[in-house]
Amino acid sequence: MEDVLDVYQRPYDPLRPVVCLDETNRQLIEKRSIPPKPGNPEREDYEYRRCGVVGLFVAFEPLACKRVVKLTDTRTAVDFAHFLRELIEVHYSHCEKSYWSWII
């Protein structure tokens, strides 16, 4: 545990970034509102329309205040692998070494 915490204490080095990863899914909903009438404010109904689900992948580099977010139609291991490849080949291709932390 102390070794992991030591990683977060490293000073900022753009060639050796510390990057945190997380992934989840989110339901997309459209809230329904009740139009206002004269003398009454707009109200929100408890009903909503379901608009599907998206996979949400996030990489965050706290010391650089940088984040990369990717939405996908699915949330599979292949989607996560594509996200990691994009991070390594596009966003962190200039790095000598990088430290990755998965948020559990």
Side-chain angles (χ1 to χ4, degrees):
M1 180 68 160
E2 290 177 4
D3 292 338
V4 172
L5 294 175
D6 286 342
V7 169
Y8 290 108
Q9 294 297 320
R10 295 173 191 260
Y12 177 64
D13 182 355
L15 298 178
R16 295 172 179 261
V18 175
V19 182
C20 305
L21 298 170
D22 196 10
E23 49 91 24
T24 188
N25 60 338
R26 289 288 179 246
Q27 177 177 245
L28 302 175
I29 59 172
E30 175 188 340
K31 293 183 179 181
R32 303 202 180 200
S33 61
I34 300 169
K37 294 181 181 177
N40 290 332
E42 183 178 31
R43 295 177 289 170
E44 200 169 282
D45 197 353
Y46 65 90
E47 290 185 19
Y48 60 89
R49 186 171 69 92
R50 190 168 188 268
C51 300
V53 177
V54 294
L56 176 63
F57 299 96
V58 179
F60 177 61
E61 188 182 346
L63 297 177
C65 295
K66 175 182 177 180
R67 71 174 172 246
V68 178
V69 179
K70 183 171 186 169
L71 297 174
T72 60
D73 292 333
T74 57
R75 183 178 153 214
T76 65
V78 173
D79 295 323
F80 189 65
H82 286 296
F83 179 60
L84 287 177
R85 174 177 275 172
E86 177 185 332
L87 289 173
I88 293 167
E89 293 179 353
V90 177
H91 301 283
Y92 293 98
S93 61
H94 65 282
C95 298
E96 296 172 356
K97 185 176 186 177
S98 55
Y99 301 93
W100 301 89
S101 170
W102 277 262
I103 299 171
I104 299 173

